[in-house]
Amino acid sequence: MRYTAINIGPIIGTITMARKPRELWSASYLFSFLMECLIKELKVKEKTILSPASLDKVQKVGLYPDRVFVEDTEDDELEDILSNALKEFTQVTGIGRDYVNIMYVSVESKTGVDVIKDLNRYLDCTELVNRPVDDKSRMNVLNLIQEKNNSALFKRAFGNPNWNFPFLAEIATDKLSKTGEEDKKVLWMKYRDEEREKENNSENPEKIEDEFYQKIKVDFKEEYRSYYKYICVVQADGDNMGKIVSALSNKRVKDLSTALMQYGCKVSKMIEEYGGVPIYAGGDDLLFFAPVVSGKDDVENIFQLLSQIDECYQVGVDKEIEKIGRPKDEKGNLIHTTLSYGLSISYYKYPLYEALRSALDLLFGKAKNVVGKNAVAWCLRKHSGSGFTGVFTKDDSAGSIYQLFKLLMTFTVDDGLVSAISHKLRANEDLLNMLRDVNDENRIAAFYDKIMEEGNSGYIELTRRLLWTLMNDRTGDGQVETGDILSKMYGMLRIAKFINGEGDSDE
């Protein structure tokens, strides 16, 4: 039988044009819609689609990936399908073949074994060929994704061409619209609506957001925290999914595609309820913006949201793999899938593309390189220029690094205490090196009793447990030097303090 894979683009080149959340959403949704048109035409021709699954209802976020895998297609027939799909796409968006790139490869196989793996490899090679795009075509796309009013993409996704897409400051301060006194909530919505109206008629949106924050800081003086001026950019990717797909039969691949599509729908709603904005939720990939903290009672901060997404993925995807038949690796071990994250937290004026690139680098440069994966790599980039970063596995068992980190976020402590703990540990780094050789937790406890003389005793004890756990960690990101451990610990203390709440003076 003949198997074909179709790939669409240029996705990266289009996404890099985006400078605002709505532009990034539009760039992503543009290609999800193109894939939707292709799938629709394939179904009209009654072709068997292995992946992705399809939806009958229009969604508010891009849920379709950039590749589709099909059984039994001939070149002539395929060209007709592509032509019809592109025609519908162009009628809605005004973008045609002079910009979009549609490539396909085919293989023959009697058994269907490894066909998706082979097709992916061939498509990876074809993507290395960059097709030139003229300035006029590029400008047409730029105008489309920058459209604030009468957007064809907004009309299709939201049913309103003038949809008010959230701006960064609106996302970052979402908690103020959900907590506290009712008149304060109404006031926040009044300021939000005023800034939306100004943004629609302004060529300087950054100034608009500055004015929004000036109002917020005056009228929400008691509630205001520095994290309201920071935005989370999150990239997530499923671990071991490639291995799983390669080991499944075609029938099971279809079942898995359905599970992934349902997961994408659920997790998008979850992000919205938290106060975030999903940009893309296709397959096992996820990209979204979110506030650092939320007004949602059971999911109060970004790390709790990641845990909720993890649970959704485990129930909706990994357990579904168990039902359809969990494959084994070459050593005979059952293959499980988890999620790894790149989390970039940056000041609202920080360039959007840089924040996106940071999240992507954190995901694939750090989180994915942790032994066993299932990790989160994060970076907090402060307005002052300072920055803190870290990475750890999401082992939530008692006494784990991740569990201790979550406990840190429950403590309200003075900034001076965090700095004092770090300073005293740094000043005794040589002694810590010797204690590491002894590897006796009682010695570490005695060391702590001697040098930590003041402050919140519960918090100090928690930092001692964290230090001991970090010193004996054999997974993590491979850090072994005491100085590296202290840097990692200080980063965790700082981001926990930041999430728990810092005053405006700490920006």
Side-chain angles (χ1 to χ4, degrees):
M1 181 178 289
R2 194 174 195 235
Y3 296 87
T4 299
I6 307 170
N7 184 85
I8 58 175
I11 294 178
I12 299 300
T14 308
I15 284 177
T16 55
M17 298 183 193
R19 295 294 178 268
K20 301 180 182 69
R22 73 163 180 273
E23 296 174 10
L24 183 64
W25 177 92
S26 295
S28 172
Y29 194 83
L30 179 68
F31 289 100
S32 180
F33 175 52
L34 175 56
M35 180 56 68
E36 184 180 338
C37 292
L38 285 170
I39 290 172
K40 179 180 176 181
E41 286 300 319
L42 288 165
K43 292 174 72 174
V44 167
K45 296 294 185 180
E46 299 183 344
K47 296 301 175 184
T48 301
I49 301 172
L50 301 179
S51 175
S54 59
L55 292 168
D56 295 327
K57 185 179 179 182
V58 174
Q59 299 294 315
K60 298 177 182 179
V61 61
L63 291 170
Y64 290 102
D66 59 347
R67 293 179 179 181
V68 58
F69 301 88
V70 192
E71 284 183 354
D72 193 22
T73 55
E74 298 299 329
D75 287 348
D76 291 344
E77 186 179 30
L78 191 57
E79 285 295 336
D80 287 339
I81 290 172
L82 300 184
S83 177
N84 291 336
L86 193 58
K87 182 178 179 181
E88 180 183 0
F89 174 78
T90 304
Q91 285 176 344
V92 173
T93 66
I95 307 302
R97 197 67 181 262
D98 55 344
Y99 184 82
V100 299
N101 193 15
I102 304 177
M103 303 169 287
Y104 63 88
V105 294
S106 300
V107 296
E108 296 285 345
S109 175
K110 294 181 179 180
T111 63
V113 175
D114 288 337
V115 290
I116 291 182
K117 179 180 179 180
D118 292 339
L119 288 169
N120 272 322
R121 188 172 69 251
Y122 296 145
L123 280 179
D124 289 342
C125 294
T126 63
E127 282 191 323
L128 297 175
V129 180
N130 291 320
R131 185 169 67 89
V133 176
D134 61 64
D135 291 341
K136 181 180 178 181
S137 299
R138 185 180 184 279
M139 188 55 64
N140 288 339
V141 172
L142 183 60
N143 290 337
L144 176 65
I145 68 172
Q146 288 182 339
E147 188 61 68
K148 293 183 287 189
N149 302 307
N150 200 29
S151 166
L153 298 175
F154 285 179
K155 181 178 180 180
R156 191 175 191 288
F158 305 109
N160 181 357
N162 301 312
W163 179 261
N164 286 311
F165 202 89
F167 52 93
L168 284 178
E170 178 183 343
I171 300 170
T173 61
D174 179 77
K175 180 180 179 180
L176 297 176
S177 71
K178 298 175 179 176
T179 58
E181 300 173 1
E182 194 62 32
D183 59 338
K184 287 289 187 75
K185 298 177 187 177
V186 173
L187 188 61
W188 179 90
M189 287 186 280
K190 175 178 178 290
Y191 291 156
R192 178 204 61 187
D193 293 342
E194 289 175 353
E195 303 316 311
R196 281 178 173 179
E197 183 63 29
K198 290 178 183 178
E199 188 194 25
N200 286 336
N201 301 292
S202 173
E203 297 300 324
N204 189 356
E206 187 174 289
K207 181 181 178 182
I208 301 299
E209 290 191 324
D210 289 344
E211 293 173 354
F212 175 79
Y213 276 118
Q214 288 171 9
K215 295 175 183 177
I216 291 294
K217 289 173 71 173
V218 171
D219 290 308
F220 292 83
K221 189 174 182 179
E222 294 183 3
E223 301 92 340
Y224 191 82
R225 297 292 183 270
S226 65
Y227 51 60
Y228 285 131
K229 280 194 173 182
Y230 288 79
I231 195 75
C232 300
V233 179
V234 182
Q235 295 253 9
D237 184 69
D239 302 319
N240 302 319
M241 187 56 70
K243 293 180 180 179
I244 290 172
V245 171
S246 297
L248 293 178
S249 67
N250 291 341
K251 169 63 170 63
R252 291 176 176 177
V253 168
K254 291 178 65 177
D255 294 337
L256 176 57
S257 296
T258 300
L260 286 168
M261 182 63 77
Q262 292 171 348
Y263 154 76
C265 293
K266 289 178 182 177
V267 78
S268 296
K269 185 177 295 185
M270 198 176 288
I271 292 166
E272 290 176 350
E273 290 174 350
Y274 173 82
V277 177
I279 300 298
Y280 174 73
D284 61 327
D285 295 333
L286 186 60
L287 170 62
F288 64 92
F289 294 101
V292 176
V293 297
S294 169
K296 199 167 186 288
D297 291 338
D298 55 337
V299 188
E300 297 178 355
N301 62 58
I302 186 62
F303 284 97
Q304 290 182 3
L305 175 61
L306 299 189
S307 294
Q308 187 184 42
I309 293 172
D310 277 336
E311 183 178 351
C312 180
Y313 188 79
Q314 286 304 301
V315 173
V317 179
D318 192 61
K319 287 189 177 179
E320 284 300 311
I321 294 173
E322 187 73 43
K323 294 178 183 178
I324 65 178
R326 189 176 303 281
K328 297 180 179 180
D329 61 18
E330 60 276 4
K331 296 181 180 180
N333 299 316
L334 294 172
I335 308 175
H336 287 264
T337 181
T338 51
L339 283 174
S340 287
Y341 300 90
L343 166 62
S344 174
I345 307 176
S346 55
Y347 196 65
Y348 76 100
K349 290 186 178 182
Y350 190 70
L352 178 60
Y353 180 64
E354 291 296 326
L356 284 167
R357 186 169 65 179
S358 172
L360 194 64
D361 290 344
L362 287 165
L363 172 60
F364 290 104
K366 291 191 174 182
K368 287 288 191 176
N369 291 327
V370 171
V371 176
K373 301 179 182 178
N374 188 32
V376 53
W378 55 266
C379 176
L380 169 61
R381 189 175 289 99
K382 299 297 289 286
H383 179 46
S384 62
S386 61
F388 311 99
T389 186
V391 56
F392 35 67
T393 58
K394 293 185 276 90
D395 172 15
D396 210 12
S397 59
S400 68
I401 293 173
Y402 198 43
Q403 191 255 357
L404 294 174
F405 172 68
K406 288 181 177 180
L407 289 175
L408 280 175
M409 290 186 285
T410 65
F411 281 85
T412 300
V413 296
D414 294 333
D415 188 70
L417 179 58
V418 176
S419 297
I421 291 173
S422 175
H423 175 74
K424 290 178 179 180
L425 291 177
R426 282 290 185 187
N428 290 275
E429 186 173 332
D430 290 340
L431 179 56
L432 278 173
N433 271 322
M434 290 187 286
L435 291 175
R436 288 186 70 191
D437 292 336
V438 177
N439 196 32
D440 184 343
E441 188 172 6
N442 291 327
R443 294 284 186 93
I444 294 293
F447 163 79
Y448 242 70
D449 289 341
K450 183 174 180 60
I451 69 167
M452 303 295 178
E453 301 170 353
E454 55 186 292
N456 186 316
S457 59
Y459 181 79
I460 290 176
E461 169 61 17
L462 182 59
T463 65
R464 181 200 66 76
R465 291 169 57 195
L466 178 61
L467 175 63
W468 171 253
T469 305
L470 287 170
M471 289 170 64
N472 287 274
D473 180 38
R474 295 296 180 267
T475 56
D477 56 0
Q479 293 174 332
V480 291
E481 298 296 329
T482 301
D484 291 334
I485 290 174
L486 295 182
S487 294
K488 184 173 183 176
M489 179 174 173
Y490 182 58
M492 294 171 71
L493 299 184
R494 293 305 314 184
I495 194 171
K497 172 73 171 66
F498 173 78
I499 289 175
N500 196 263
E502 294 177 343
D504 190 30
S505 60
D506 296 313
E507 287 184 358

